[in-house]
Amino acid sequence: MASIESISPLRHPAPDIADTTAAPWKSILDKSMVHLRDLPVHLMAGGDALDAVTDYFPMRINPYMLGLIDTPDGPIGRQLLPRAEELDDLDREGDPLAEEHQSPAPQIIHRYPGRVVFLVSNQCAVHCRFCMRKRRVADGRQVPRESIDLGIDYIRNHPQVNEVVLSGGDPLMRSDSQLVRILETLKEIPHVRLLRIHTRMPVVLPQRITPALAGELSRCHPLYLNLHCNHPAEITTEVASASRLLADAGIPLGSQTVLLKGVNDDARVLQELFEALLQIRVRPYYLHQLDRVPGTAHFRVPVERSIGLLRELRGRLSGMGMPHLMVDLPGGGGKVALGEASVVDRSEDFWKIRNWQGQIYDYTVRQ
């Protein structure tokens, strides 16, 4: 396994952002690139011809992530830089998962009986070109406090809800005090037993994770955090430091990865990613099929290929490093785990079971 120091050094000059006292996370965000003309010349593939793309889904790249982009066709460039292909499939449903239909209150998605997703932010530190909620994030306006309070009231008035997942946008785009107020208010509701934060911030702006924030979050247990990471080049020394602060605060860390053509649809890349995540105390949790939102067809990996990648990983990785391969069903059907069936035949006495090498073994099923 590669050491953290060897995984992904900054490849292009970037502002001095290692010292969070000299460059707080908000000041880094203030320097984000939002116009194509702001980009370095070597990253402006397409130039003004891509204005129509950014009119549909605005660009946002903060200086930290800009420093990690080698070329437009590199793994991070493909995730963040606009591309002409985004205009090829705009006729698709903007909300294919029917989240709005399953939203009984402002900012709430209630799909499963005991769990809700609480969209506490409409903003992100970068705009990923494959974003599943670009219909919300593209607007750029933050969720007002009144909507947050209505969402909390819904949770308070539905005692079957025992788990709340803070999502967005990115929940960590809220200030420390705003985020902690939400968490502490939810924690005071008797039937809410688990809190979860889904965020890309520790990866795309790790300077956001400060000792002060980690300390505040440590008072909100039981709290879990899933970060979004798609390629080993995203795991820098800064990301390792951010993860360490969170883990040392007693917050269990998991990861979610989206399968993206030309970025991580390679078993060796995924193996390096998942091993690197384990090294920084983040357990791989979900490997997602891309949601079929408009402007993302060029990123899609066929399901058979995805299952094949999982087959290649099995045996190479420890069980701790193997994520669930998930598809979020259209029309609000929810998440379902995909996988190659290991049981290939059944009889009264034996089942035939395939191992990670493809070999078939008889397994006695009688007592």
Side-chain angles (χ1 to χ4, degrees):
M1 186 186 302
S3 68
I4 289 298
E5 288 74 13
S6 69
I7 289 173
S8 54
L10 294 179
R11 298 178 179 84
H12 296 291
D16 182 10
I17 52 180
D19 182 357
T20 56
T21 60
W25 67 278
K26 289 186 179 180
S27 69
I28 300 172
L29 278 177
D30 288 342
K31 299 172 185 175
S32 295
M33 313 294 154
V34 296
H35 301 292
L36 292 164
R37 62 180 178 272
D38 297 333
L39 294 171
V41 174
H42 72 285
L43 298 181
M44 289 185 62
D48 295 340
L50 295 177
D51 285 340
V53 178
T54 56
D55 286 344
Y56 172 71
F57 183 43
M59 180 185 78
R60 185 185 187 99
I61 306 174
N62 69 59
Y64 170 78
M65 289 303 290
L66 184 68
L68 295 182
I69 300 177
D70 279 329
T71 67
D73 286 327
I76 297 177
R78 289 185 67 86
Q79 293 183 65
L80 300 182
L81 293 171
R83 302 177 73 89
E85 296 96 319
E86 294 180 46
L87 301 180
D88 291 345
D89 64 331
L90 298 187
D91 56 341
R92 291 188 178 275
E93 166 62 44
D95 178 25
L97 306 182
E99 291 184 334
E100 306 299 340
H101 178 70
Q102 294 175 326
S103 179
Q107 311 310 124
I108 295 292
I109 302 170
H110 197 168
R111 178 172 293 153
Y112 306 103
R115 181 167 72 255
V116 299
V117 175
F118 192 5
L119 303 176
V120 299
S121 172
N122 283 340
Q123 298 177 335
C124 290
V126 295
H127 285 174
C128 299
R129 308 312 299 178
F130 53 87
C131 178
M132 65 173 289
R133 295 199 181 111
K134 59 176 65 178
R135 67 188 189 279
R136 288 177 174 266
V137 174
D139 181 81
R141 290 178 293 180
Q142 189 54 286
V143 177
R145 176 165 178 164
E146 294 77 12
S147 296
I148 297 291
D149 290 342
L150 288 171
I152 291 173
D153 286 343
Y154 176 86
I155 294 167
R156 183 180 290 115
N157 294 325
H158 287 77
Q160 72 270 34
V161 175
N162 54 51
E163 181 176 358
V164 179
V165 180
L166 301 192
S167 187
D170 199 308
L172 267 61
M173 286 291 286
R174 313 283 336 192
S175 68
D176 288 14
S177 60
Q178 291 171 344
L179 182 62
V180 171
R181 181 190 81 86
I182 294 169
L183 289 169
E184 289 185 335
T185 303
L186 292 171
K187 194 170 182 293
E188 291 171 357
I189 299 174
H191 54 266
V192 174
R193 300 172 187 170
L194 292 176
L195 298 172
R196 217 194 307 172
I197 296 175
H198 284 192
T199 174
R200 189 134 159 78
M201 195 76 86
V203 174
V204 298
L205 190 61
Q207 295 79 11
R208 174 68 182 94
I209 311 302
T210 63
L213 175 63
E216 292 286 346
L217 294 179
S218 71
R219 299 190 292 105
C220 299
H221 289 311
L223 175 66
Y224 294 75
L225 187 145
N226 282 332
L227 56 84
H228 178 170
C229 188
N230 295 325
H231 193 277
E234 298 175 41
I235 304 181
T236 63
T237 53
E238 291 89 350
V239 172
S241 296
S243 297
R244 185 182 308 115
L245 283 172
L246 294 167
D248 286 351
I251 301 169
L253 303 177
S255 73
Q256 299 197 78
T257 296
V258 179
L259 268 174
L260 300 168
K261 184 178 179 181
V263 175
N264 58 14
D265 57 334
D266 182 287
R268 289 170 296 180
V269 170
L270 291 174
Q271 179 179 356
E272 184 180 352
L273 170 62
F274 298 146
E275 288 179 343
L277 285 167
L278 287 176
Q279 188 178 346
I280 62 171
R281 297 154 70 183
V282 177
R283 183 168 182 176
Y285 175 49
Y286 277 172
L287 178 62
H288 283 284
Q289 280 292 122
L290 184 72
D291 295 319
R292 292 179 174 268
V293 296
T296 63
H298 59 292
F299 280 122
R300 290 184 193 127
V301 178
V303 173
E304 285 296 330
R305 171 63 178 153
S306 303
I307 293 174
L309 289 169
L310 208 66
R311 185 190 313 125
E312 289 184 63
L313 288 173
R314 200 167 300 281
R316 297 186 186 184
L317 287 169
S318 72
M320 289 193 303
M322 285 295 297
H324 301 287
L325 176 61
M326 305 297 292
V327 59
D328 212 337
L329 297 174
K335 291 184 174 68
V336 174
L338 300 176
E340 182 185 37
S342 57
V343 179
V344 298
D345 192 21
R346 306 184 189 197
S347 68
E348 186 175 342
D349 297 316
F350 298 96
W351 284 11
K352 291 187 178 293
I353 299 179
R354 180 190 293 112
N355 75 352
W356 64 275
Q357 294 173 308
Q359 300 165 335
I360 307 298
Y361 291 79
D362 287 339
Y363 184 80
T364 302
V365 293
R366 278 189 175 275
Q367 293 292 337

